[in-house]
Each structure stands twice: as C-alpha cells, then as structure tokens.
C-alpha cells in the first residue's frame, strides 16, 4: 500500500500532527491512523470533490483578476479540548482588553486616556494612527460594546506556543469560510463526524444576531438589524449575503438607506422603515461623506450624527482601527495589565518598535533577520521578510524605516507551525495560522470553536493569504463531551446552509481594502450614470444592471480572498 506520508520531512517548525516520524500527537491519532491506512488516490478523489463543491457553490476568491475555487485542504487541523481552553480564554481576555482601550480612547473627549496619563502608551501614537477618528469622540454605544465581532490572528511558534500575530476589530472577515469548510468536510468525511467529538460551528449566526440586537439603542424593544454591504463587486460579498440570510435580516447598500431627522431609515416597498443596528462591512472612510470621504456613495450621509444622537448603532464601531494598528498592538500586553489587572494569557510575537531609537538601531543592524511590516498594512502588502529579500529591497526598506519610523514595526521570523497538507498526491508539512472569531454581546464574549485556519500552500511560504497562493483547512476542536449536531431553530434559512447531521455508520483595511472600495465606488457611479442615460432614453436599466442584490445571490456569489492581515477584503 502506498504511503501518503512517504518523504514527509519534519523541519524546525512545530508539526502539529507529528512529534517524530510516524509519532502522532494525541489530538491527531485518529486522523493520522486514517491517513496511514488510506490510498493516496482515495484522498485525492475526496480533495477533488471538495474543490468541485466549492466551485459549484461559488466559494471562490479573486487571484490576479481570476476567480478560482477557494482551496480547502482535505486534511483537517485538530485542536484538543485542553489546548482550545487556553485559546478561548486568551482570546476572550484579549477582546476585553481591546474594548477597555477603545472606551478609554473615545470616551474621554476632553481628558487624556488613563493609559496615556499613566505613561503606558504615548498619546501621539494614538492620534497619529491613520484609523483614529476624532469625529466619533464621545459617542458611547448603548451597551458599551465597540468590537461586536473580533478576529484575533494566532500562530504557533517553534515550541508550539500560541501567540497573537495581530488584532482585527474593524470588519474582520472569513467566518463564511469556517461554515462553508465545515459543511463540505462533513459531506466528504461523514465517518469522522460520526465518531470524533468535534465541536460544531453552526451557532455563529445565532451568536452574531444576539449580539447585534443587544447593541440596539435604548428603547428598541424589537430592534431592526441590517447588514450593510458595498455591493456585488466586493470580494467579501458572499459572506455578506450568507450572514444576512442566516440571521434572517435585510442586506442593504448605502443607496437603500436615508438619514432624516437623526433617524436612519431603510427604503422598502412599504415605505421608509427605521433601523436600529447596522452591521457594516464597509471601511470607516466610506461610511459618512459628511465626516470622511465626501465623494463616497457607499455609506449614508448623516450616519455619524445619528450615532451621536443615540438613534442607531454601527457594528463594529467607527474608529476601532486604532486598536488594529500594529504599533499599538505591541502595547496590548501592558494595556491588558493596566485595564484588567491580569497577565496576558496569549503572548504577542516579539516586536520591535521603530519609534524607539534603541529598537530601531537593532532592526537596522539585523534587517536581514527580521520581518518588517507597515503598521496599517493588509493582505501581506508591504511586508518584507528579511531572510528572503535581496539587497536592493533591504536598502529600500532601511530608508523607509529611517524616514518614517512610526509607519513600521519589525519582528523576528517566526517559523509558523505546520500541518500535513495534500500536495501533489502526497502529504507535506505546510505553515498555518488561525483566526478565531469572538462575539461580544456586552455581557459575554463567546469564541467560535475553531475559527479559520489558513495554510500557505507553496513550500516554505510563511504568508498564508490566498493572494499569495494560500488556502484553508477545516479546524476541528475536540470536546471532552459528546456534541450532537442539531437544527438551529433561529431561522429557516440557517438549516439550509449549516445543518450537518452525521450518519449513523461508525468509522474545519487597510490599503488593499480601501483600493478595492474605491474601485467599487467608481463602478457604482458608472452604473448610476448609465441608469440616468437609460432613463432619459426611455429604456431604464434592470435591477441587475444597477447592482441590486438578487434574492438568491448567496448561492452563487464570490467569496473574499484570505490574507495574513486584517481587513474586510483580504483577511
């Protein structure tokens, strides 16, 4: 029998499945045994079925202008109950610390934040962040939640320790892949879900809707929630439609909304209907042309005024990006101790602050050993990996660091952990990261079991975004207790997407996002001009030509690219 693990070479990275040749770690024993007894052709057939099913469902991503099926590897990532307990507690703690920081920054319009007054973080680092917005100072959400949804990116270092790579509390994306991956894997490997105690992920729409309703302005007994999308040209449109359908709420564009008398209303066939909560999937700069980009047609004029009047809640809150800033990320361990009086459960990746002369000197001296990142980069853009960069690239980066130290951080190269991945008909170690999703309803921070595992498919690649040739894995969090997969009663549409009943048989912006939204805005302006011309000519354009969302758009819409950085486009 051919061996899928033939020529599988363990390197310097922590391999999550194997502690040595053919020595499976505890959580992976069942999966390893199955793979060892499986013919390569059998696994390849299942992998091809996964690719076909994703293509048929429209689960694709944009790579160099071409729509491709999103690569889902047939080998899952497995995390034990004990390991997940640490991750879950650490992510929950991280979210609470970031919430406290954001409240400290925006709830004190006249005073300095306490973290600044106590010398923990310089005020000029906060105010110089490109995503710090003075326009929302003093706006206090109804339930004091600003990060309703958080995506905390984690990696495992050479010792197998989970570390926080970065925080995403603006418009973190990718949860649609988590649900799509699980549905596909359940169909392809039903025997695994019948025998292993794998925690389900179908509760996410219920968690999200509950948190959004809890964030409604005071006095809203039956709040109206909508999902605000930039439109069909956004690479994350599949996720927007999927979440709207599964929560049973309306999917709207900026042109569907109007702000009148401090109230945001939705245009419907029955007239204008007030809305209470907007789950926005648009960057801050496009949300309100009064305070941000005056040429934006993606948002709603007067939205910030309605927020200040307490008539509508925007989730996630405007201005959250200051907590995503990679330089401010380096202060989160100190901020956690300040706000929570707790030591961080999940450590950061070691980080050099180029704003500090001593750190900058070390970075310049060891530039060929460092990973250098722009503080507001996304999708891996601008990132330079010193050991693989040529001399000209390092010289250019050196000049940028000296000219603009506030714009960069540096980190030692972390050999991300590896998981066996099907490559060329055999299994090979490939680097992975993990984005758990946390939902905060103001009372409890709940972490979805597993999250999105992204895998760098090219050999030796450390950047895991799909635009760099990456893919994903279904993340199986094991439980010490048997979990039954039941129908979610919250909406009828939910069971169409996420019900995965196992059989009885025995046997997982940033610069790039802003550029994309500028292109979307231009396309929508062109559409409107064509619409005006059509009306004048007596041949009014169809709803599809005007970019209106078809009712069944979620079935065939493209999904966003997955990236190593934050943002609503590439994640």
């Amino acid at each position: 029998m051919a061996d899928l693990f033939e020529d599988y070479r363990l390197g310097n990275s922590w391999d999550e499945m194997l502690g040595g040749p053919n020595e499976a770690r505890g959580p992976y024993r069942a999966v390893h045994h199955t793979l060892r007894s499986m013919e390569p052709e059998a696994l390849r057939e299942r992998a091809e079925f996964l690719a076909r099913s994703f293509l048929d469902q429209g689960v694709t991503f944009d790579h160099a202008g071409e729509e491709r099926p999103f690569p889902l590897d047939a080998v899952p990532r497995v995390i034990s109950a004990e390991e997940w307990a640490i991750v879950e507690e650490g992510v929950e703690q991280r979210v609470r610390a970031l919430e406290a920081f954001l409240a400290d920054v925006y709830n004190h319009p006249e005073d300095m934040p306490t973290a600044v007054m106590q010398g923990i973080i310089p005020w000029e680092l906060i105010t110089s962040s490109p995503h710090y917005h003075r326009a929302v100072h003093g706006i206090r959400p109804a339930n004091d939640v600003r990060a309703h949804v958080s995506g905390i990116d984690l990696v495992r270092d050479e010792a197998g320790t989970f570390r926080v790579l970065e925080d995403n509390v603006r418009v973190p994306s990718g949860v649609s892949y988590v649900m799509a991956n699980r549905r596909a894997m359940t169909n392809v490997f039903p025997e695994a879900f019948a025998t292993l105690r794998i925690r389900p992920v179908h509760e996410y729409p219920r968690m999200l809707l509950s948190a959004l309703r809890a964030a409604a302005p005071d006095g809203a007994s039956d709040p109206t929630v909508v999902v605000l999308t930039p439109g069909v040209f956004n690479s994350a449109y599949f996720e927007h439609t999927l979440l709207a359908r599964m929560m049973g709420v309306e999917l709207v564009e900026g042109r569907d909304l109007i702000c009148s008398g401090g109230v945001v209303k939705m245009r419907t066939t029955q007239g204008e209907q007030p809305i209470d909560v907007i789950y926005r999937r648009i960057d801050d700069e496009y949300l309100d042309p009064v305070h941000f980009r005056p040429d934006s047609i993606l948002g709603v004029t007067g939205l910030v005024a309605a927020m200040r009047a307490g008539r509508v809640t925007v989730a996630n809150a405007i201005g959250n990006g200051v907590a995503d800033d990679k330089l401010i990320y380096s202060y989160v361990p100190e901020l956690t101790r300040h706000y929570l009086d707790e030591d961080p459960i999940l450590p950061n990746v070691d980080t050099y602050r180029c704003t500090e002369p001593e750190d900058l000197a070390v970075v310049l001296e060891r530039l060929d050993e460092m990973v250098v990142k722009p503080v507001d980069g996304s999708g891996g853009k601008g990132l330079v990996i010193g050991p693989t960069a040529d001399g000209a690239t390092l010289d250019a980066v050196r000049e940028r660091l000296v000219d603009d130290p506030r714009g960069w951080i540096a980190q030692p190269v972390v050999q991300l952990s590896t998981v066996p991945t099907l490559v060329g008909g055999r299994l090979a170690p490939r680097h992975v990261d993990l984005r758990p999703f946390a939902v905060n309803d103001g009372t409890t921070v709940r972490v979805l079991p597993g999250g999105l595992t992204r895998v760098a498919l090219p050999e030796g690649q450390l950047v895991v975004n799909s635009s760099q040739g990456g893919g994903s894995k279904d993340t199986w969090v094991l439980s010490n207790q048997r979990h039954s997969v039941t129908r979610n009663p919250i909406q009828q549409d939910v069971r169409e997407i996420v019900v995965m009943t196992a059989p009885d048989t025995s046997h997982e912006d940033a610069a790039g996002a802003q550029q994309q939204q500028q292109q979307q805005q231009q396309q929508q302006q062109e559409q409107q001009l064509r619409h005006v011309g059509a009306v004048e000519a007596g041949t009014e354009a169809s709803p599809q030509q005007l970019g209106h969302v078809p009712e069944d758009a979620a079935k065939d819409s493209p999904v966003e690219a997955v990236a190593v950085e934050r943002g609503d486009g590439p994640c």
Side-chain angles (χ1 to χ4, degrees):
M1 179 180 293
D3 187 356
L4 282 164
F5 287 91
E6 184 179 354
D7 298 326
Y8 190 90
R9 310 236 180 249
L10 295 172
N12 296 327
S13 302
W14 174 273
D15 193 89
E16 298 192 11
M17 179 180 288
L18 299 176
N22 297 324
E23 296 179 6
R25 302 187 192 275
Y28 278 95
R29 284 174 186 161
V31 173
H32 180 256
H33 175 76
T34 300
L35 292 173
R36 287 297 305 273
S37 60
M38 182 179 290
E39 287 282 354
E41 185 60 30
L43 184 60
R44 189 161 48 245
E45 288 177 357
R46 298 197 189 199
E48 291 173 355
F49 180 84
L50 286 173
R52 286 197 304 270
S53 67
F54 267 31
L55 187 61
D56 292 342
Q57 297 175 60
V59 185
T60 62
F61 73 100
D62 181 80
H63 180 73
E66 178 185 353
E67 286 295 324
R68 300 181 182 180
F70 183 64
L72 170 61
D73 188 62
V75 180
R77 183 188 201 172
V78 184
I79 301 176
S80 70
E82 294 75 19
E83 290 173 327
W84 183 251
I86 297 173
V87 170
E88 187 173 37
E89 187 177 359
V91 169
E92 185 267 342
Q93 180 195 57
R94 188 92 176 186
V95 171
R96 288 190 291 117
L98 292 173
E99 284 280 10
F101 170 69
L102 290 169
D104 200 12
V105 168
Y106 288 112
N107 283 359
H108 299 82
E110 298 178 358
D111 302 325
M112 290 284 187
T114 62
V116 173
M117 291 190 291
Q118 296 193 19
I120 296 170
I121 184 171
W123 181 231
E124 58 268 23
L125 293 188
I126 296 174
T127 57
S128 61
S129 173
H131 303 293
Y132 164 76
H133 295 309
R134 193 175 296 276
V136 294
H137 257 288
I139 298 179
R140 189 164 189 163
N143 64 341
D144 290 327
V145 175
R146 285 176 166 80
H148 306 79
V149 179
S150 303
I152 308 299
D153 290 349
L154 308 178
V155 296
R156 297 185 83 163
D157 62 17
E158 297 85 348
T161 301
F162 279 105
R163 292 180 177 270
V164 178
L165 181 66
E166 66 179 46
D167 304 298
N168 302 275
V169 291
R170 273 184 282 173
V171 279
S173 62
V175 74
S176 58
Y177 288 137
V178 177
M179 293 181 285
N181 287 355
R182 179 57 54 84
R183 183 185 186 211
M185 290 290 284
T186 306
N187 292 332
V188 174
F189 293 97
E191 62 274 17
F193 290 87
T195 56
L196 296 178
R197 298 177 179 179
I198 302 170
R199 294 184 59 180
V201 298
H202 68 268
E203 287 288 327
Y204 184 80
R206 184 201 303 270
M207 290 164 51
L208 178 58
L209 181 59
S210 176
L212 295 175
R213 290 174 62 88
D218 294 338
S221 58
D222 185 20
T224 298
V225 178
V226 298
V227 176
L228 176 60
T229 176
V232 296
F233 297 107
N234 189 273
S235 61
Y237 186 68
F238 170 83
E239 178 155 305
H240 307 165
T241 59
L242 180 70
L243 292 176
R245 286 185 56 197
M246 295 176 73
M247 291 190 293
V249 304
E250 294 292 336
L251 180 71
V252 299
E253 298 181 29
R255 59 188 170 185
D256 300 319
L257 304 179
I258 186 173
C259 186
S260 176
V263 178
V264 179
K265 301 176 182 178
M266 171 175 53
R267 295 185 175 98
T268 71
T269 54
Q270 286 78 38
E272 296 176 352
Q273 176 184 354
I275 58 178
D276 303 292
V277 181
I278 300 174
Y279 179 41
R280 55 81 173 239
R281 300 301 297 260
I282 298 175
D283 280 354
D284 292 352
E285 291 76 11
Y286 296 87
L287 281 174
D288 187 344
V290 174
H291 293 278
F292 305 111
R293 289 188 53 136
D295 61 338
S296 175
I297 61 172
L298 300 177
V300 186
T301 300
L303 179 60
V304 171
M307 293 170 58
R308 190 172 295 280
R311 307 299 295 274
V312 69
T313 297
V314 173
N316 285 354
I318 296 174
N320 276 14
V322 68
D324 284 358
D325 186 296
K326 293 180 179 61
L327 180 55
I328 291 175
Y329 148 93
S330 69
Y331 289 89
V332 173
E334 293 96 322
L335 295 173
T336 300
R337 297 183 183 96
H338 169 66
Y339 294 119
L340 307 182
D341 195 24
E342 299 172 0
D343 288 327
I345 296 170
L346 297 173
N348 276 10
V349 172
D350 295 338
T351 303
Y352 291 89
R353 301 165 183 161
C354 295
T355 53
E356 299 182 4
E358 292 181 0
D359 279 14
L360 179 59
V362 173
V363 172
L364 294 176
E365 181 181 353
R366 300 169 48 196
L367 195 57
D368 59 345
E369 304 172 14
M370 298 284 185
V371 176
V372 182
K373 300 179 180 180
V375 297
D376 62 343
S378 67
K381 294 180 176 65
L383 180 147
V384 177
I385 300 177
T388 62
D390 57 31
T393 300
L394 292 178
D395 290 341
V397 171
R398 186 174 285 105
E399 291 182 7
R400 292 174 194 158
L401 293 178
V402 173
D403 292 341
D404 179 26
R406 171 61 178 88
W408 300 85
I409 62 166
Q411 297 170 331
V413 176
V414 177
Q415 291 297 326
L416 311 185
S417 62
T418 59
V419 177
T421 302
L422 186 63
V423 179
R426 290 290 186 274
L427 295 179
R430 290 296 185 263
H431 297 291
V432 295
D433 77 348
L434 176 66
R435 175 175 289 183
F437 291 90
V439 177
N440 187 359
D441 63 7
T443 302
T444 306
V445 177
R446 298 183 61 188
V447 184
L448 185 68
L452 178 64
T453 288
R454 299 172 292 190
V455 55
L457 296 177
E459 184 175 4
Q461 176 68 268
L462 292 174
V463 182
V464 299
N465 56 305
S466 58
S467 61
Q468 303 284 339
S472 74
K473 288 177 175 286
D474 191 18
T475 309
W476 294 0
V477 173
L478 303 183
S479 173
N480 291 328
Q481 298 179 348
R482 174 72 65 178
H483 285 263
S484 60
V485 181
T486 57
R487 295 183 182 273
N488 187 345
I490 194 166
Q491 294 292 339
Q492 290 183 349
D493 283 343
V494 172
R495 62 173 179 265
E496 297 176 9
I497 304 293
V498 300
V499 171
M500 311 166 192
T501 305
D504 294 332
T505 56
S506 230
H507 277 238
E508 160 94 104
D509 280 320
Q514 289 185 356
Q515 180 180 6
Q516 182 186 55
Q517 292 187 8
Q518 290 172 3
Q519 293 171 350
Q520 291 164 195
Q521 176 162 296
Q522 182 178 356
Q523 289 168 323
Q524 291 194 8
Q525 288 172 331
E526 292 173 353
Q527 288 174 339
Q528 290 186 350
L529 290 175
R530 289 198 298 270
H531 173 50
V532 171
V535 172
E536 291 176 349
T539 57
E540 185 171 357
S542 68
Q544 289 76 15
Q545 292 170 322
L546 291 175
H548 289 298
V549 181
E551 291 182 358
D552 59 347
K555 298 178 182 177
D556 305 302
S557 305
V559 96
E560 81 268 35
V562 174
V564 72
E565 308 289 351
R566 58 103 193 104
D568 190 42
C571 63

